[in-house]
Amino acid sequence: MTQKQDTPIILAIESSCDDTAAAVIVNRKILANIVSSQTMHEQYGGVIPELAGRAHQQYILPVVEKALETAGITSSDLDAIAYTRGPGLMGSLLVGSQFAKGMSMGLGIPTIGINHLQAHVAAHYIGERTPEFPFLCLLVSGGHTQILLVNNYLDMRIIGSTIDDAAGEAFDKTAKMLGLPYPGGPLVDQLAEDGNPLAFPFPKSNVGGYDYSFSGLKTSLLYFLQKQTALHPEFIQTNMNDICASMRHTIIKTLLSQFEKAALDLKIRHIGIAGGVSANRLLRRSFEALGKKHGMETYIPAFEYCTDNAAMIAIAGHHQYLQGKFNSLNDLPFAR
Ligand code: KG4
Ligand code: ZN
C-alpha cells in the first residue's frame, strides 16, 4: 500500500441505484463529476433492479475513464478509491464495489466504503461555504426521509424519520397517478410552478416527535382522482398544474413543519437540506424563508450535488481517508 497523504487524490464511484457516476477529488476540490443516468427504466414507471445492474456493468468503465480524463490524471496518480457501499440495490452496489476493489488491488491502494446517506449530507462540505457543527440536515431522497443532527463530518444521529414512504416516493407516486413518466419528482415540481397550491386541500399527516408519514397522502390523492375522473374524465388533464402544485405544497409544508420544530427545540443555528428532493424549487425557496424567519444560516447544495452523484462520495471519501477509515478486501462488498 502507498503511504497515506495529507492531500489525497481520490477516485469516487457511485452505483447505488440507476445512475453510474464517477468523480475525482484532490484535497477537497472536485476536479471531475461525471454522471450517466439510465433512461430505460422510464418505460416501466420505476427502476428495474436487474436492468440497472447490467447497465452499470456497461457504463462503469467509460464513466471512470471520462472522470480521470476530465481531471487530467491517470489511475497511477490515485491514493484511494471511494465507493458507495450502501444502502441501495444489491446488484447495482455490487458492480461499483467490485470495480473499486479490482482497481484498488491492481494499483495497490486502499478502498473506502461510503454510506450513501452520509454522502448526501457530505455534499455540504464541497466548496468554500460549509455549515458549522452541529447542524441539522433534512435528508430527502427517493428512498429516505430523515432529520439528522450532524455533530461532525461523519458523525450524525437520526432524530426523525418517515414511518412509511419517503418524500421522493410521494412525488414519484403522485406523478405515476397523473400519468407522468418516471422519475416524476422533477416533472411534478416543474408543472407545479404554474399551478395554484391551494386549489385542492390535501391532508397533512400528523405524526408524533419529528417523524413523517406520506402513505396517507398518496391514498387520499388516489381516492380524490378516482372520484373526480368518474365525474369528469378529463379532470387530470385540465387540472394538471393545480394538482401538482397542491401536492407539492402539502409535501413541502409537511417536511418543513417537523424540521422547524426540531431545529427550534434543539436550538440549532445552521440548517441544511440534502438528497434528490432538495432539488425541489419550492423546498429550496421555503427553506431559505425558514432560515430567514429564525435567523438561521441555511445551506443548500448546488443542483448537481443534490441528486445521486459521485462528488458527494468523493468528499465523504476525503474525510474518511483523513480519519484512516479504509476497507479490508475481506469486508462484505455492500451494506444495505
Ligand atoms: O437522492 P436521489 O437522487 O436518489 C436516491 O438516493 O433516492 O433522489 C431521487 C429522488 C426521486 O424520488 C426524484 O423524483 C426526487 O428525488 N427528485 C425530486 C426533484 N428532483 C429529484 N423531487 C421533487 N422535486 C424535484 N425537483
Ligand atoms: Zn441518493
Side-chain angles (χ1 to χ4, degrees):
M1 292 278 164
T2 50
Q3 218 185 341
K4 194 162 154 271
Q5 306 294 318
D6 291 335
T7 56
I9 304 178
I10 300 173
L11 168 70
I13 294 170
E14 152 65 27
S15 72
S16 64
C17 190
D18 58 344
D19 296 300
T20 317
V24 173
I25 189 167
V26 179
N27 195 25
R28 284 191 68 244
K29 200 161 185 279
I30 303 293
L31 294 192
N33 184 31
I34 311 294
V35 184
S36 168
S37 298
Q38 303 172 5
T39 52
M40 84 286 259
H41 305 287
E42 266 175 33
Q43 58 188 303
Y44 304 105
V47 177
I48 307 292
E50 183 61 33
L51 293 182
R54 279 189 230 159
H56 282 304
Q57 284 180 349
Q58 198 182 333
Y59 298 139
I60 195 153
L61 185 57
V63 165
V64 165
E65 280 176 340
K66 178 94 183 141
L68 294 176
E69 185 194 323
T70 306
I73 62 163
T74 65
S75 55
S76 58
D77 296 319
L78 294 171
D79 295 305
I81 302 178
Y83 67 93
T84 304
R85 198 161 169 250
L89 300 172
M90 193 167 68
S92 295
L93 291 168
L94 269 173
V95 177
S97 63
Q98 296 309 91
F99 188 93
K101 285 192 179 195
M103 197 168 165
S104 78
M105 280 170 83
L107 295 168
I109 57 176
T111 55
I112 309 169
I114 302 291
N115 177 292
H116 182 86
L117 302 177
Q118 285 195 340
H120 270 302
V121 176
H124 285 290
Y125 315 141
I126 299 172
E128 294 310 312
R129 188 176 170 270
T130 60
E132 268 174 34
F133 300 116
F135 86 99
L136 200 65
C137 188
L138 176 65
L139 171 60
V140 270
S141 73
H144 295 83
T145 296
Q146 297 174 339
I147 299 177
L148 296 157
L149 179 61
V150 187
N151 291 313
N152 213 316
Y153 289 110
L154 301 166
D155 170 17
M156 51 195 83
R157 191 160 61 85
I158 300 170
I159 63 160
S161 185
T162 180
I163 57 168
D164 41 55
D165 292 351
E169 233 175 320
F171 273 107
D172 294 339
K173 286 177 180 169
T174 298
K176 200 167 181 177
M177 284 187 240
L178 297 176
L180 300 171
Y182 178 87
L187 270 175
V188 172
D189 187 23
Q190 194 186 320
L191 290 163
E193 289 288 289
D194 297 318
N196 173 7
L198 304 177
F200 307 112
F202 292 113
K204 280 178 215 63
S205 63
N206 198 2
V207 188
Y210 308 124
D211 288 337
Y212 294 107
S213 165
F214 289 105
S215 69
L217 176 62
K218 173 185 69 185
T219 312
S220 80
L221 176 66
L222 179 70
Y223 290 157
F224 172 76
L225 293 179
Q226 280 173 353
K227 195 169 147 199
Q228 296 298 332
T229 51
L231 297 170
H232 316 283
E234 300 298 311
F235 181 80
I236 293 181
Q237 279 66 34
T238 48
N239 293 279
M240 185 64 98
N241 297 92
D242 285 350
I243 303 170
C244 288
S246 301
M247 281 299 284
R248 182 178 74 163
H249 169 78
T250 310
I251 296 169
I252 302 305
K253 210 159 176 193
T254 304
L255 285 172
L256 289 184
S257 66
Q258 289 290 71
F259 184 81
E260 180 178 27
K261 194 163 76 170
L264 292 176
D265 287 353
L266 295 168
K267 301 186 173 40
I268 289 285
R269 308 301 316 148
H270 290 241
I271 56 174
I273 49 176
V277 182
S278 59
N280 187 276
R281 283 166 260 205
L282 179 64
L283 177 57
R284 294 167 89 91
R285 292 196 292 265
S286 310
F287 193 74
E288 293 287 17
L290 178 77
K292 215 171 238 170
K293 179 175 154 196
H294 296 297
M296 296 167 183
E297 290 288 325
T298 51
Y299 299 86
I300 301 181
F303 273 108
E304 69 263 37
Y305 302 140
C306 288
T307 45
D308 287 349
N309 66 87
M312 67 184 196
I313 306 299
I315 187 80
H318 170 88
H319 288 287
Q320 244 177 259
Y321 182 101
L322 295 185
Q323 291 179 13
K325 288 188 179 158
F326 302 114
N327 276 102
S328 132
L329 282 175
N330 297 327
D331 283 346
L332 276 178
F334 59 86
R336 308 183 80 193

